[in-house]
Amino acid sequence: MDTKEKILQAALRLFAKDGYEGVSVRKIAEKLGITKGALYKHYKNKQDIFDSIVNRMEEIDAKRTKEFNSLIENLNSQEQLTKQQIINGIKQFSIANFKYWTEDEFAANFRKILTLEQYRNPQMAKLLNKYLTNGVIKNAQVIMARIFVGTKYEHKDTNILALNYFGPIYLLMGLYDQSEDKASIERAVVTHIDYFMESFG
């Protein structure tokens, strides 16, 4: 790992712990055992570091969005799939998404930064909305529409169904961060998805 990447990763971890406002360039440099001057050879300032983190996240998100769209296209194109097969595919994707935002160090720390800063930094609030609230709800709406097509729930409000589906998963992300028994939180995610799907069976 080169120095520029070490700076980005160290800053990300500090931002996730102390918030963006609570971290200075000096603190990042000290964490790495380098001088501020050495850091400035790679980044203009703290905002430049954060912008690089956001750019990295955008690249990752573009790939994940493509995977999500492929999943939906695949489910829509296979008319022979049973409802249970559709549910299983969506369930696997939802669990993988939960694991990504909680277990992947980069994604988990990015989520924590946005959560910490959302009420004092409009940029952070906008990013949280994009990646973990409204953005995910929109994806969940697509999922709801696919699951309930041709059923008595087809004309239900997909926004409300999406909130009912994703709300507990989002809450469990926060519980996961604080829990010593992380496996139990992961099981709770699976159980929630099963209960939700069964309620519309």
Side-chain angles (χ1 to χ4, degrees):
M1 186 185 299
D2 62 21
T3 301
K4 186 170 185 177
E5 182 65 17
K6 287 179 180 178
I7 292 169
L8 186 144
Q9 294 294 341
L12 178 63
R13 286 190 287 270
L14 288 170
F15 292 155
K17 179 178 178 290
D18 300 325
Y20 178 81
E21 298 298 335
V23 177
S24 64
V25 169
R26 180 183 298 278
K27 190 171 185 178
I28 297 168
E30 288 176 351
K31 185 70 174 179
L32 291 168
I34 63 175
T35 64
K36 288 173 62 177
L39 187 150
Y40 286 133
K41 291 179 181 179
H42 300 281
Y43 296 98
K44 293 182 293 185
N45 48 40
K46 185 173 72 169
Q47 184 63 48
D48 189 27
I49 298 173
F50 183 74
D51 288 344
S52 295
I53 291 170
V54 172
N55 290 339
R56 176 79 59 84
M57 193 71 243
E58 287 178 348
E59 291 173 2
I60 296 170
D61 184 63
K63 181 180 178 181
R64 291 177 57 77
T65 298
K66 185 176 181 180
E67 291 173 353
F68 175 78
N69 290 337
S70 294
L71 169 68
I72 297 302
E73 288 174 8
N74 183 55
L75 294 178
N76 287 335
S77 66
Q78 299 188 51
E79 296 181 1
Q80 74 278 16
L81 289 178
T82 65
K83 181 179 178 181
Q84 189 58 51
Q85 287 174 318
I86 293 170
I87 288 174
N88 287 342
I90 291 170
K91 177 180 176 180
Q92 290 172 10
F93 181 86
S94 298
I95 293 170
N97 194 53
F98 177 85
K99 288 178 175 290
Y100 171 70
W101 284 108
T102 55
E103 297 179 6
D104 181 274
E105 184 181 13
F106 188 94
N109 283 333
F110 186 74
R111 172 175 58 84
K112 292 172 186 177
I113 296 168
L114 303 185
T115 302
L116 284 171
E117 297 291 343
Q118 62 180 310
Y119 297 111
R120 57 187 176 190
N121 187 315
Q123 181 192 12
M124 306 288 185
K126 185 176 180 180
L127 288 168
L128 182 66
N129 184 60
K130 174 182 177 180
Y131 289 109
L132 279 160
T133 51
N134 192 50
V136 175
I137 292 300
K138 288 182 178 178
N139 285 345
Q141 283 182 276
V142 175
I143 289 173
M144 297 303 105
R146 183 63 186 91
I147 292 174
F148 301 127
V149 64
T151 73
K152 63 182 180 180
Y153 302 102
E154 186 172 10
H155 302 296
K156 297 292 185 180
D157 188 328
T158 55
N159 184 57
I160 298 301
L161 293 174
L163 287 168
N164 287 339
Y165 179 70
F166 180 68
I169 296 176
Y170 183 68
L171 175 63
L172 286 165
M173 288 182 187
L175 293 177
Y176 182 95
D177 293 336
Q178 305 301 323
S179 177
E180 294 183 2
D181 185 7
K182 297 188 183 305
S184 69
I185 304 300
E186 291 184 359
R187 289 194 296 272
V189 172
V190 175
T191 301
H192 159 66
I193 294 172
D194 286 341
Y195 284 178
F196 181 90
M197 297 303 180
E198 287 174 5
S199 67
F200 294 97

